[in-house]
Amino acid sequence: MIKTAFLNLWRKKTRTILSIAMITVGIAAIIAMTSLADGLFMDIKSAVSQIQGITIYEKSQGILSAKTDEKLVDEIKKIPGVKDAKPLIIATTRSIEGRESNFGLEAASIIRLFGTTYKSNSETVGGVKGEILKGRNLKEGERNKVVIGKEIADRYNKFVGDKIRINNSTYEIVGIYRTGSKFFNLGILMALEDLRELAGFPQGKVSEISVELDDPTETDRMVNMIKFKLGDKYRVISSSQFAESLSNVLDNVKFLVMAVASIAAIVAAVGILNTMLMSVMERYKEIGVLKATGWTNGSIMRMVLYESAILGILGGTAGIILGMALSKFVENYVTMRVYVSQTLLIESFIFAIAVGLFAGLYPAWKASTFNPVDALRAE
Amino acid sequence: MPKKIIEMKNVCKEYKMGKVMVKALCGISLDIYEGDFVIIVGPSGSGKSTLLHLMGALDRPSSGKVLIGGKDLSLLDDWSLAMLRRKTMGFVFQMFNLVPTLNALENVMLPLEPTGKDEVEKIRRAKELLKIVGLEHRMLHKPSELSGGESQRVAIARALINDPAIVLADEPTGNLDSKTGAQIIDMLLKMNKERNKTFIIATHDLSLLKYGNKNIYLRDGKIEKIVER
């Protein structure tokens, strides 16, 4: 019966291919979007998990626009259990080498600038763990020199010793760094005062203060301690708290992706419903003949459901291939990490078959209720 | 004494056409025995097809009784009717009604498709029947590549695949030239003699009356006469 179902679909090649294409596009969209979102989540989560210690910034302002008193650094350093505290300015730019950066997606085109003092020799990049790939890190008090992220080096083809123009200022590259996150690799490290001038940050203010502890296992207790010492004016958060609040945001994004995916599914289902309904109507008389030769209502229903399931299977398979190709394309041409999980592929495939079967239910039922006598009289 | 396989007692069949109820058949009583070669004649609209559909368990009567192999059609649900057709009936149509995407062999096997019968056995039987109807060299051809006579022979093989006791044919020669039509009727007669199958043929063609051992004349939904020979 499966072969018959195949041949039935093949009668109207164009229509069948179009309905398969509908599922293909839907499934491909789901895979591309979900893998992109998953990649982004993994990237951000791994970046956040690498943020060390505790971050402090003034309340009433967002983490990127906060302007915190720099003098707070000295006060924090006095707190017992604090190993080091560094002021940090964070800014963004899209103007590198006099051109507007554009790498496809908006989020992938913004370049992050991190300015700090390099008192400690721990190799951190904007508070994130990293390693120097080539050259060296910045030294304390060094000006007009930068360490660039690997993504920047790759995109602008820069090496240690080259010059790089950011907005209207030119800097010498002394090193190239890499972190576990593409998000942070699209960044440039510079002296606190250089970035203050470049970004026009007010004197005596910084974005945040990053605190390193003597004993990292004491983080929760130290967060409370610092909160108590500094008072209500400041937000004191540990990386784990940050990760938690971030994962709430990411969950919302995931929900949005799912919503778009369901729309794709509904469109595909309506397409198959239409195809199958037309197809059984065209075969009115033939179905009457099948009934005359002893096919039961159940056999007719099974045949139509096979047909719509085949649409789902073919569309699902093509969708998976197209979706994977699409994510690969995004990964290569836009600096975004994508993550195509096996679960995603299996779920999408099952979903495609389910959409096919679900959309076939009504046409199958309709065909099974054809009265053979009426069908045989029909011309 | 041959076995009685179809028994109709005062059967009426009416159906809705738009908003009016149309009486297609009324007061039909007749018996058909195993091995009968029945010809039903009558003008268009006399109820030939309706009678054939009732005899073929495709439909239930509005009133009266239709017994097939002793089973009362009015008491059977759709599934049981389908099973009765599968086991007892073979249908041949004027327009052949072959599935265009399937070749001759696959068309013959079509009634067996929903059954759990062994594939090899299905193919063996279908090939045997195509040989009987003289189409062993055309088995893999699609209906579009077959002539009218060939198509009807495929349809006959399809009607016989279930080894039915009764074969019902609605204008089987209606779309064929007289020579091909005669060949088809010869084939049906041969099967009737050799395999003792019951044939019921509805037709316009009065020349077929000479073949029937029981000829039913219909007019306006009623039996005008039954001639037994």
Side-chain angles (χ1 to χ4, degrees):
Chain A
M1 197 182 280
I2 289 169
K3 189 186 169 196
T4 312
F6 250 111
L7 292 170
N8 283 337
L9 287 171
W10 217 234
R11 288 186 208 187
K12 297 272 160 111
K13 290 190 190 66
T14 316
R15 185 172 69 194
T16 300
I17 288 167
L18 282 177
S19 5
I20 291 173
M22 244 183 264
I23 308 186
T24 302
V25 169
I27 295 294
I30 290 173
I31 289 178
M33 282 171 58
T34 311
S35 62
L36 204 64
D38 282 350
L40 191 69
F41 295 175
M42 281 178 67
D43 199 33
I44 292 175
K45 275 187 177 152
S46 74
V48 168
S49 72
Q50 288 170 11
I51 294 174
Q52 293 179 319
I54 295 168
T55 299
I56 299 163
Y57 60 93
E58 245 187 73
K59 270 186 191 172
S60 80
Q61 289 164 21
I63 194 160
L64 286 178
S65 58
K67 296 193 171 40
T68 308
D69 220 332
E70 196 181 346
K71 275 185 256 159
L72 214 56
V73 173
D74 299 324
E75 204 175 318
I76 292 164
K77 278 185 182 168
K78 282 181 206 145
I79 299 169
V82 171
K83 188 176 168 190
D84 195 13
K86 282 181 294 183
L88 191 62
I89 293 177
I90 302 171
T92 61
T93 184
R94 290 191 64 164
S95 169
I96 300 286
E97 299 290 288
R99 278 176 284 132
E100 175 146 323
S101 59
N102 189 350
F103 307 113
L105 288 180
E106 181 68 20
S109 302
I110 296 169
I111 291 154
R112 289 112 197 145
L113 304 172
F114 303 97
T116 189
T117 57
Y118 291 84
K119 279 179 189 161
S120 76
N121 48 14
S122 64
E123 285 177 343
T124 59
V125 180
V128 175
K129 249 189 247 164
E131 52 169 339
I132 297 293
L133 276 183
K134 293 209 172 74
R136 58 172 178 81
N137 205 344
L138 291 170
K139 289 175 187 152
E140 190 185 350
E142 208 169 26
R143 299 291 301 265
N144 296 320
K145 297 204 165 36
V146 293
V147 176
I148 61 173
K150 190 178 178 302
E151 290 292 332
I152 305 272
D154 289 348
R155 285 180 183 188
Y156 292 96
N157 202 18
K158 290 289 183 192
F159 300 94
V160 172
D162 287 352
K163 303 264 185 220
I164 187 165
R165 205 165 123 217
I166 307 168
N167 292 359
N168 290 318
S169 310
T170 305
Y171 302 87
E172 187 193 336
I173 298 166
V174 297
I176 295 169
Y177 74 82
R178 184 175 66 186
T179 69
S181 150
K182 275 197 169 179
F183 181 80
F184 277 102
N185 287 351
L186 198 61
I188 296 173
L189 240 57
M190 55 209 307
L192 187 74
E193 294 310 319
D194 278 347
L195 185 53
R196 187 190 300 287
E197 278 170 26
L198 186 70
F201 223 80
Q203 285 299 321
K205 298 278 183 185
V206 293
S207 304
E208 60 179 56
I209 293 161
S210 164
V211 179
E212 209 178 320
L213 301 176
D214 285 335
D215 181 0
T217 61
E218 289 280 274
T219 304
D220 289 343
R221 196 182 62 80
M222 287 302 292
V223 165
N224 289 331
M225 165 83 107
I226 295 168
K227 265 186 191 163
F228 175 74
K229 293 263 183 188
L230 298 183
D232 255 0
K233 206 178 155 195
Y234 299 95
R235 179 151 287 141
V236 181
I237 53 172
S238 68
S239 54
S240 61
Q241 286 168 326
F242 186 57
E244 215 170 279
S245 63
L246 202 65
S247 91
N248 286 335
V249 176
L250 296 182
D251 283 346
N252 286 337
V253 174
K254 191 118 190 172
F255 181 77
L256 199 76
V257 169
M258 287 301 172
V260 174
S262 345
I263 292 171
I266 291 168
V267 171
V270 172
I272 295 187
L273 178 70
N274 180 46
T275 299
M276 293 311 300
L277 211 50
M278 275 170 68
S279 155
V280 300
M281 289 303 184
E282 285 164 4
R283 285 182 283 159
Y284 186 46
K285 186 158 190 180
E286 189 178 307
I287 288 167
V289 173
L290 291 178
K291 284 192 160 187
T293 66
W295 282 47
T296 59
N297 293 357
S299 336
I300 304 279
M301 215 164 153
R302 223 169 72 212
M303 178 183 71
V304 178
L305 284 177
Y306 276 144
E307 291 171 21
S308 64
I310 288 169
L311 290 180
I313 290 169
L314 294 181
T317 310
I320 285 173
I321 293 166
L322 184 66
M324 283 172 73
L326 221 61
S327 342
K328 204 82 209 148
F329 178 83
V330 170
E331 188 168 43
N332 287 342
Y333 291 92
V334 181
T335 305
M336 294 283 276
R337 181 156 149 192
V338 297
Y339 176 65
V340 185
S341 70
Q342 234 171 37
T343 337
L344 174 65
L345 295 182
I346 293 166
E347 281 175 0
S348 312
F349 190 62
I350 292 172
F351 185 66
I353 299 172
V355 166
L357 280 175
F358 181 74
L361 272 179
Y362 175 70
W365 173 81
K366 184 100 185 159
S368 78
T369 60
F370 286 168
N371 179 351
V373 173
D374 295 341
L376 286 173
R377 282 183 201 278
E379 278 314 319
Chain B
M1 186 71 188
K3 234 168 70 189
K4 198 187 278 183
I5 53 172
I6 300 179
E7 198 176 346
M8 297 180 101
K9 285 183 198 157
N10 201 21
V11 168
C12 286
K13 178 69 193 177
E14 43 189 41
Y15 52 85
K16 249 193 197 147
M17 226 173 167
K19 279 180 182 164
V20 268
M21 292 301 285
V22 178
K23 260 197 182 134
L25 283 178
C26 210
I28 305 286
S29 295
L30 55 84
D31 295 324
I32 287 168
Y33 294 89
E34 208 172 55
D36 272 351
F37 200 85
V38 182
I39 309 287
I40 305 171
V41 289
S44 297
S46 59
K48 294 188 302 285
S49 293
T50 308
L51 183 58
L52 206 66
H53 291 156
L54 284 170
M55 289 172 164
L58 270 170
D59 215 348
R60 302 182 190 85
S62 307
S63 66
K65 265 189 191 214
V66 178
L67 300 170
I68 293 172
K71 285 182 186 146
D72 186 344
L73 291 192
S74 312
L75 305 177
L76 299 179
D77 61 11
D78 283 355
W79 187 83
S80 308
L81 283 183
M83 282 303 158
L84 182 61
R85 292 194 295 270
R86 183 184 290 180
K87 290 193 181 111
T88 328
M89 308 292 172
F91 282 91
V92 178
F93 306 95
Q94 180 177 1
M95 304 295 295
F96 327 130
N97 290 337
L98 301 176
V99 176
T101 46
L102 303 181
N103 63 33
L105 187 68
E106 290 161 338
N107 262 293
V108 173
M109 286 160 58
L110 201 57
L112 291 181
E113 207 169 293
T115 68
K117 279 214 176 77
D118 176 46
E119 194 68 22
V120 178
E121 170 62 19
K122 284 183 200 174
I123 293 174
R124 194 192 62 74
R125 251 192 84 62
K127 280 186 173 169
E128 188 189 305
L129 285 166
L130 280 168
K131 209 167 169 184
I132 290 171
V133 298
L135 282 179
E136 65 265 46
H137 58 295
R138 308 284 275 164
M139 281 194 292
L140 301 180
H141 288 256
K142 295 270 167 68
S144 57
E145 300 156 353
L146 299 173
S147 70
E150 287 172 329
S151 294
Q152 197 59 304
R153 284 190 272 162
V154 173
I156 290 168
R158 179 178 67 186
L160 292 171
I161 189 85
N162 289 326
D163 196 21
I166 307 167
V167 177
L168 304 110
D170 197 351
E171 301 278 10
T173 57
N175 254 33
L176 304 173
D177 60 68
S178 55
K179 193 177 152 225
T180 318
Q183 285 171 355
I184 293 291
I185 294 297
D186 279 345
M187 186 172 285
L188 299 184
L189 273 170
K190 200 171 152 220
M191 287 169 182
N192 172 249
K193 299 255 149 51
E194 287 175 2
R195 302 175 167 234
N196 200 36
K197 290 194 187 304
T198 307
F199 281 80
I200 304 171
I201 298 163
T203 184
H204 274 105
D205 184 358
L206 298 178
S207 72
L208 297 188
L209 286 168
K210 61 176 179 279
Y211 302 110
N213 73 322
K214 177 178 284 191
N215 295 335
I216 301 170
Y217 294 75
L218 281 184
R219 184 172 292 275
D220 300 331
K222 292 194 173 74
I223 293 179
E224 201 174 46
K225 59 177 174 180
I226 296 179
V227 177
E228 305 213 19
R229 304 192 309 148

